[in-house]
Amino acid sequence: NAGVTQTPKFQVLKTGQSMTLQCAQDMNHEYMSWYRQDPGMGLRLIHYSVGAGITDQGEVPNGYNVSRSTTEDFPLRLLSAAPSQTSVYFCASSYATGTPYEQYFGPGTRLTVT
Amino acid sequence: DQQVKQNSPSLSVQEGRISILNCDYTNSMFDYFLWYKKYPAEGPTFLISISSIKDKNEDGRFTVFLNKSAKHLSLHIVPSQPGDSAVYFCAARGDDKIIFGKGTRLHILP
């Protein structure tokens, strides 16, 4: 099992560029989510999905789009990158039902927007 | 408005002693609480959790206590070991969302 994989590990974008952060899991988890981690701000929820075809907004969804066409993949799209989106992005997955709702996290993507 | 608060950015504890990390929450609809540990340049890893219907859960050196009336939970690590030096995040689940606090950096001193 690879667990949760994220690509790329590092990315530098110019303001206004778009890109997609990839996330995949091989644990057949229904629930997937994206977080961003900024210094002093902890982990903030961007978007989440309780299953294929279903997505919803988290705490800080503006500037990001997601889709969930398969159980395994949950890409995060930055439509027009801004310096405020410089952050470390983590994808996570878990079972949607049944405790303890333990999420497995990927290693993260470090994004810099100049 | 922060729903999950970890008011201590850092904590230093002597090796072998007890580490106590605290967390407060504001949303009474949260039904599950979790603690994660994070090392630099890695994703967080799950440590221990507790349902809102319980007041204590223990797993080895880690114990989580929940005080629903005070909307407060704490993580106890006994005894503290050098490998416990990391950032600890408190998280709460409600309405299909899992919300994290800002984290507390734990330093275990030799």
Side-chain angles (χ1 to χ4, degrees):
Chain A
N1 272 4
V4 179
T5 58
Q6 291 184 238
T7 55
K9 283 188 169 25
F10 302 93
Q11 182 72 48
V12 179
L13 286 180
K14 291 190 187 323
T15 297
Q17 287 184 318
S18 63
M19 80 158 295
T20 299
L21 279 62
Q22 301 291 346
C23 175
Q25 52 92 10
D26 61 0
M27 297 173 280
N28 205 31
H29 285 161
E30 304 94 348
Y31 188 94
M32 296 186 75
S33 55
W34 277 101
Y35 292 86
R36 58 178 288 174
Q37 185 187 15
D38 303 293
M41 298 299 291
L43 291 158
R44 291 184 292 171
L45 180 65
I46 304 171
H47 285 285
Y48 65 99
S49 167
V50 298
I54 307 168
T55 64
D56 209 340
Q57 297 182 349
E59 302 168 276
V60 288
N62 292 343
Y64 307 95
N65 272 4
V66 291
S67 60
R68 183 95 180 270
S69 55
T70 67
T71 299
E72 295 78 21
D73 300 296
F74 191 42
L76 179 72
R77 295 185 192 84
L78 281 71
L79 306 173
S80 177
S84 60
Q85 294 178 305
T86 293
S87 188
V88 181
Y89 291 85
F90 291 101
C91 178
S93 74
S94 70
Y95 292 110
T97 56
T99 57
Y101 305 109
E102 170 188 351
Q103 292 193 93
Y104 293 82
F105 280 81
T109 293
R110 184 174 293 274
L111 175 68
T112 302
V113 183
T114 62
Chain B
D1 190 26
Q2 260 193 292
Q3 298 187 66
V4 179
K5 302 178 188 180
Q6 294 178 258
N7 292 321
S8 299
S10 68
L11 174 69
S12 294
V13 174
Q14 210 77 33
E15 182 179 352
R17 307 293 291 268
I18 182 171
S19 295
I20 300 177
L21 296 99
N22 294 303
C23 178
D24 297 296
Y25 62 96
T26 58
N27 188 343
S28 55
M29 299 304 290
F30 287 141
D31 62 358
Y32 225 84
F33 303 90
L34 308 98
W35 284 93
Y36 284 80
K37 176 178 179 178
K38 186 182 182 303
Y39 292 119
E42 294 183 9
T45 54
F46 171 76
L47 263 182
I48 191 168
S49 62
I50 187 166
S51 164
S52 60
I53 64 172
K54 308 264 189 189
D55 54 21
K56 177 182 173 182
N57 187 27
E58 196 170 352
D59 183 2
R61 296 187 299 116
F62 302 94
T63 303
V64 56
F65 295 92
L66 175 62
N67 181 335
K68 276 189 71 174
S69 60
K71 294 194 176 71
H72 177 83
L73 60 154
S74 60
L75 174 68
H76 293 211
I77 306 174
V78 183
S80 299
Q81 298 175 354
D84 296 332
S85 291
V87 176
Y88 289 78
F89 289 102
C90 170
R93 179 191 179 271
D95 195 23
D96 281 336
K97 297 187 185 74
I98 299 180
I99 305 297
F100 282 72
K102 292 185 177 182
T104 296
R105 184 175 300 276
L106 177 64
H107 300 271
I108 303 301
L109 306 170

